[in-house]
Amino acid sequence: MSNANNGGFLESVNRNFDKAAPFTGLHRGLLEQIKVCNSVYQMRFPVKIGSEYRVIEAYRVQHSHHRLPTKGGIRYSQKVNQEEVMALATLMTYKCAIVDVPFGGAKGGVRISPRDYTPAQLQKITRRYTTELIRKNFIGPGIDVPAPDYGTGAREMAWILDTYTTFKGGEIDAAGCVTGKPVNQSGIRGRTEATGRGVFYALKEAVSYKDDMKALGLEPGMEGKTMAIQGLGNVGYHTGLISQKEGGAKIICVAEYEGAIYNKDGIDIEKLFKHRKSTGSILDFPGAKNMKQRKEVLEVECDILVPAALEGQIRSDNADRVRAKIIAEAANGPVTADAEEILLKKGVMIIPDMYINAGGVTVSYFEWLKNLSHMRFGRMEKRFDQNTYSNLVDLIERMTGKTVGLKERTFLTRGAEEIDLVRSGLEETMVTAYQQIREIKKRRKGVEDLRTAAFINALKKIGSDYETLGIFP
Ligand code: NAD
């Protein structure tokens, strides 16, 4: 089922699986069960656009039911096809296992280019797609929980929730049927930026190891690292923005649909975003030069390359020209299995998609928990903590006879808001998962790359779930 558009995406994912499988010690039959997609729902539905009827092709794939609900984004793109959605759903299962999020993997896809439709038409398509999912029992807080992906965002998630509650009035946990919703529609603070922020936390951890950086000829730390980004959408923009603001990284190249720009002294991502909003393009950004072709971004000399658009971008025909030392796979599947072999021989460090872009599903998990508990994180303890810290500062003042300044007092006595807890939970998740993967790569003889190590970690966790569940009596 390989497809010319994405260079055999599913085949690439499964080749990586096969490379890791022998290291897991799991039974062959169990590995086969983990590998296959459990349910594939392919649909066609009509939508009236103006005076015309369009038949829309769409999918929802649940890769693994070993944990429920299943979870994964919904993609709107003209390139959507069954193999792509299956590959993306497959990656979701491993991703959730790597970051200890207790879901099975799933993914949805609607074969449309959102650019070709007005918001009202997109709403019509989204609501109809949701209705199809409800009809076949492919959505629900305990069944399958979609989220945003390429071409969708909070707006589409709000339409999904509204459609779901229209049909399932009175279901008390209905808000947990989808994540990535607007904050005022049962969403959670920090979800929009979550994938990009997760990429940043992962990178910060990865570049903190002196030995690993020495092997790449780099100094440890994010400060001053040069970065090139492909795709200034949700993931690419937030990765760039946070790496620049909080990590001190220097973004020297950015590519979008319309072209690519370069500035060796750095590009201000926030200003670039505004420039694109007002002019409709990233091109002609003050201080930067336009590049001939958008794909040149992949070949720029830099410390960190962040492909954050689509799969199959670095293939056997351009891998040799990649000059980055680290590839942070913010997108799903940007490096094909063939390209990876070439890059590993060149000594490039690839931080794999199923780990590095797991920040989105991690915060989606927090959002789902919030929906099930019907309460904002921090509501119960914030003031209690604030009062306790305040009493402590008072005591220190009395004991020392000195007064703490207002700025310090405010800082020391702060109780955690929802956004603080979300960020802290996300950082903890990304750092712990990286340490587990790095440790496997370091300790297991024959494991030479982070992707194989990440697979081993995921497969062992899923295998153990299956065994304790007694799926194979
Ligand atoms: P998005 O639609 O917000 O942004 C993608 C951007 O890439 C768009 O602006 C598009 O114009 C641009 N683009 C497309 N082709 C390009 C090309 N050839 N060169 C340069 N730019 C190009 O999508 P997103 O949500 O940021 O998703 C991007 C990738 O990250 C996808 O692979 C997705 O599966 C993955 N991902 C997303 C999330 C999430 O939470 N949104 C989570 C995990 C992984």
Side-chain angles (χ1 to χ4, degrees), residues 75 149-151 191 195 231 233-235 256 294 308-309 330-332 357:
R75 173 171 293 195
D149 189 66
Y150 186 94
R191 174 60 184 89
T195 307
N234 177 298
V235 179
E256 244 304 324
R294 66 180 184 209
N332 284 306
N357 70 33

Side-chain angles (χ1 to χ4, degrees), residues 7-68:
F9 188 9
L10 183 59
E11 184 198 309
S12 231
V13 173
N14 285 338
R15 249 173 76 184
N16 292 326
F17 176 106
D18 293 341
K19 193 172 160 190
F23 294 100
T24 61
L26 295 174
H27 189 282
R28 209 150 42 93
L30 181 50
L31 285 166
E32 186 56 25
Q33 171 57 30
I34 296 173
K35 194 175 183 179
V36 295
C37 282
N38 292 174
S39 313
V40 180
Y41 176 22
Q42 184 190 122
M43 63 198 102
R44 302 277 194 281
F45 53 81
V47 175
K48 200 169 175 208
I49 303 292
S51 59
E52 197 192 318
Y53 284 101
R54 297 231 179 120
V55 180
I56 309 282
E57 176 184 335
Y59 302 87
R60 184 72 187 172
V61 174
Q62 295 170 352
H63 171 260
S64 180
H65 293 147
H66 75 290
R67 292 234 174 176
L68 288 170

Side-chain angles (χ1 to χ4, degrees), residues 458-472:
L459 297 183
K460 285 193 133 186
K461 289 181 189 177
I462 300 164
S464 133
D465 275 356
Y466 267 119
E467 274 158 2
T468 41
L469 282 171
I471 295 283
F472 293 101

Side-chain angles (χ1 to χ4, degrees), residues 75 88 95 107 115 148-152 191 195 230-236 255-257 259 276 294 308-311 313 330-332 357-358 360-361:
R75 173 171 293 195
L88 291 164
K95 198 178 294 186
K107 204 84 178 191
R115 270 179 261 262
D149 189 66
Y150 186 94
T152 62
R191 174 60 184 89
T195 307
Q230 182 195 40
L232 200 63
N234 177 298
V235 179
E256 244 304 324
Y257 217 75
R276 188 174 194 234
R294 66 180 184 209
L310 284 171
E311 62 270 14
Q313 297 301 304
N332 284 306
N357 70 33
V361 76

Side-chain angles (χ1 to χ4, degrees), residues 63-338:
H63 171 260
S64 180
H65 293 147
H66 75 290
R67 292 234 174 176
L68 288 170
T70 51
K71 184 101 191 65
I74 296 177
R75 173 171 293 195
Y76 284 5
S77 149
Q78 198 54 54
K79 290 187 179 139
V80 160
N81 61 67
Q82 185 171 320
E83 189 217 343
E84 181 187 58
V85 187
M86 286 170 76
L88 291 164
T90 307
L91 281 175
M92 282 307 299
T93 296
Y94 309 140
K95 198 178 294 186
C96 290
I98 287 167
V99 289
D100 291 322
V101 163
F103 298 139
K107 204 84 178 191
V110 180
R111 193 184 171 104
I112 53 161
S113 173
R115 270 179 261 262
D116 298 343
Y117 295 91
T118 64
Q121 293 165 345
L122 285 171
Q123 179 168 176
K124 219 172 176 180
I125 295 169
T126 306
R127 287 182 181 277
R128 181 61 197 257
Y129 174 69
T130 311
T131 311
E132 295 296 326
L133 296 179
I134 296 168
R135 267 155 53 111
K136 288 281 191 292
N137 212 20
F138 260 67
I139 184 170
I143 300 169
D144 187 353
V145 183
D149 189 66
Y150 186 94
T152 62
R155 179 183 67 175
E156 286 74 15
M157 304 307 118
W159 294 333
I160 292 174
L161 172 65
D162 189 55
T163 310
Y164 185 84
T165 46
T166 304
F167 283 89
K168 307 266 181 175
E171 216 182 72
I172 193 162
D173 291 328
C177 76
V178 62
T179 59
K181 303 178 289 290
V183 175
N184 63 3
Q185 295 275 328
S186 308
I188 194 167
R189 286 160 190 82
R191 174 60 184 89
T192 309
E193 61 165 31
T195 307
R197 180 168 286 280
V199 173
F200 166 66
Y201 287 145
L203 275 171
K204 196 167 91 167
E205 180 64 16
V207 302
S208 72
Y209 295 91
K210 222 172 162 182
D211 291 353
D212 298 359
M213 289 306 103
K214 203 170 158 203
L216 298 170
L218 294 172
E219 288 297 319
M222 278 295 277
E223 186 71 38
K225 290 264 178 310
T226 53
M227 194 180 250
I229 303 177
Q230 182 195 40
L232 200 63
N234 177 298
V235 179
Y237 170 68
H238 288 105
T239 299
L241 183 74
I242 298 165
S243 298
Q244 191 164 61
K245 274 195 162 169
E246 296 179 29
K250 188 156 87 173
I251 293 148
I252 56 169
C253 183
V254 176
E256 244 304 324
Y257 217 75
E258 60 275 8
I261 57 166
Y262 182 88
N263 183 349
K264 69 172 179 19
D265 299 322
I267 295 162
D268 186 308
I269 288 294
E270 218 168 353
K271 285 191 183 144
L272 177 63
F273 192 76
K274 285 189 187 135
H275 171 82
R276 188 174 194 234
K277 224 172 175 182
S278 62
T279 68
S281 167
I282 60 166
L283 296 174
D284 303 323
F285 181 64
K289 65 170 199 240
N290 296 340
M291 298 175 92
K292 281 201 190 89
Q293 292 188 51
R294 66 180 184 209
K295 65 178 182 199
E296 281 180 76
V297 64
L298 303 170
E299 297 169 18
V300 157
E301 190 173 351
C302 61
D303 298 328
I304 305 168
L305 171 63
V306 183
L310 284 171
E311 62 270 14
Q313 297 301 304
I314 304 172
R315 300 177 297 263
S316 53
D317 57 355
N318 62 355
D320 232 358
R321 296 198 295 276
V322 169
R323 285 184 291 163
K325 298 195 166 142
I326 300 172
I327 298 180
E329 289 189 326
N332 284 306
V335 176
T336 66
D338 283 338

